[in-house]
DNA sequence: CACCCGTGGAC
DNA sequence: TGTCCAAGGGT
């Protein structure tokens, strides 16, 4: 009789206490899982749930989304934040149709090649949609492994190859069990082993946690400086996009001028939205969400 | 690697 | 009230 492994302890806890999130239910398609993963990039679960349901009701397949405009994707994205993700998700749908006949690929390298799909999302889809054995490392998993295994209060700012290796070593050999363990690690980090005031009293691995054993030392160095928002280009972009989102078709520049007083910053923000494929100019003095109201008119400059 | 990219809730 | 943080990705 050997002691249960770390993954076994967390997986048992997960089996009993996992939240009933819609993308975890039986029969959910790989596309639906991919959509959930993209929406969950830096956006809390509670805000994703209704957006995910509305999105999939409208675009149940990659082909359906690929046939619609970026403008509609941006509108459906609502206020999830980082609306470039909406455009990339549609680009991703187009790529899936073109490269994979409309089916979400199951190979890691093919997933990684899709727009908006990085190290985390590719592995999450391969594991959760296709049951493959890959370490799935997000901010939650990094925190759990960093604390429980390394005994340190917090992980670094970005996922490193070493994080993947450390997590892989914790996974069971059997692929389905490994995928379950990855979901369990994430859940533990999201629900109990949270950044501020972790709930160690309910933790299934508290007795083997290296961080607890070390006396739960607090984080020392300046981790990452808080990201500013008020007064930044991001706030201005958000204001501009808010106007464009609520209007169908072109919006005269004078209406956009009202959202922010600083001409230089406002122009820079608008140009950024154009560069990022969210907004396009219409004629001399109007802008719209990309593709809003049909294909763009021929560029007059080309004659 | 550093920085940029939205939004809203909790403390 | 300001700060911190949330299933990252692209450049």
């Amino acid at each position: 009789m050997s002691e249960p492994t770390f993954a076994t302890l967390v997986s048992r806890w997960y089996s009993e206490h996992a939240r009933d999130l819609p993308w975890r239910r039986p029969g959910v398609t790989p596309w639906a899982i991919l959509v959930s993963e993209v929406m969950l990039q830096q956006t809390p679960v509670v805000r994703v749930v209704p957006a995910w349901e509305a999105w999939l009701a409208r675009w149940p397949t990659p082909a359906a989304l690929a046939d619609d405009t970026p403008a509609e994707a941006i509108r459906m994205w609502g206020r999830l934040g980082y609306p470039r993700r909406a455009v990339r998700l549609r680009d991703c749908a187009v790529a899936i149709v073109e490269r994979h006949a409309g089916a979400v690929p199951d190979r890691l390298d093919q997933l990684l090649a899709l727009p908006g799909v990085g190290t985390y999302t590719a592995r999450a889809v391969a594991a959760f949609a296709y049951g493959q054995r890959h370490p799935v490392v997000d901010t939650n998993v990094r925190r759990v492994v960093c604390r429980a295994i390394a005994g340190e209060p917090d992980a670094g700012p970005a996922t490193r190859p070493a994080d993947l290796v450390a997590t892989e070593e914790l996974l069971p050999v059997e692929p389905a069990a490994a995928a379950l363990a990855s979901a369990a690690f994430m859940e533990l980090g999201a629900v109990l082993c949270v950044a501020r005031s972790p709930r160690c009293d309910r933790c299934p691995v508290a007795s083997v946690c290296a961080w607890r054993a070390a006396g739960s030392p607090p984080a020392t160095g300046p981790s990452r400086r808080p990201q500013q928002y008020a007064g930044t280009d991001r706030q201005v972009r958000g204001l501009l996009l808010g106007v464009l989102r609520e209007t169908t078709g072109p919006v005269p520049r004078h209406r956009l001028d009202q959202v922010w007083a600083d001409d230089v910053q406002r122009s820079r923000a608008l140009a950024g939205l154009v560069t990022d494929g969210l907004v396009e100019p219409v004629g001399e003095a109007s802008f719209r969400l990309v593709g809003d109201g049909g294909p763009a008119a021929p560029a007059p400059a080309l004659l």
Side-chain angles (χ1 to χ4, degrees), chain A residues 4-7 9-10 140-154 170 185 188-189 192-194 198-218:
Chain A
T5 65
F6 184 84
L9 291 171
V10 181
N140 290 311
V141 175
R142 285 192 300 119
R143 186 171 53 248
V144 167
V145 173
C146 189
R147 284 177 179 166
I149 307 301
E152 294 165 5
D154 244 321
L170 297 173
F185 294 161
L188 186 67
L192 296 183
C193 195
V194 293
R199 315 288 293 270
C200 302
D201 54 329
R202 301 187 191 176
C203 181
V205 289
S207 64
V208 296
C209 176
W211 182 55
R212 284 209 98 199
S216 306

Side-chain angles (χ1 to χ4, degrees), chain A residues 156-211:
Chain A
T159 300
R160 300 169 170 287
D163 297 322
L164 293 180
V165 174
T167 303
E168 195 276 338
E169 291 173 351
L170 297 173
L171 296 181
V173 174
E174 203 276 313
L180 178 70
S182 289
F185 294 161
M186 291 176 62
E187 186 79 350
L188 186 67
V191 175
L192 296 183
C193 195
V194 293
R196 289 178 296 191
S197 52
R199 315 288 293 270
C200 302
D201 54 329
R202 301 187 191 176
C203 181
V205 289
S207 64
V208 296
C209 176
W211 182 55

Side-chain angles (χ1 to χ4, degrees), chain A residues 20 73 105 113 131 150 281:
Chain A
D20 177 29

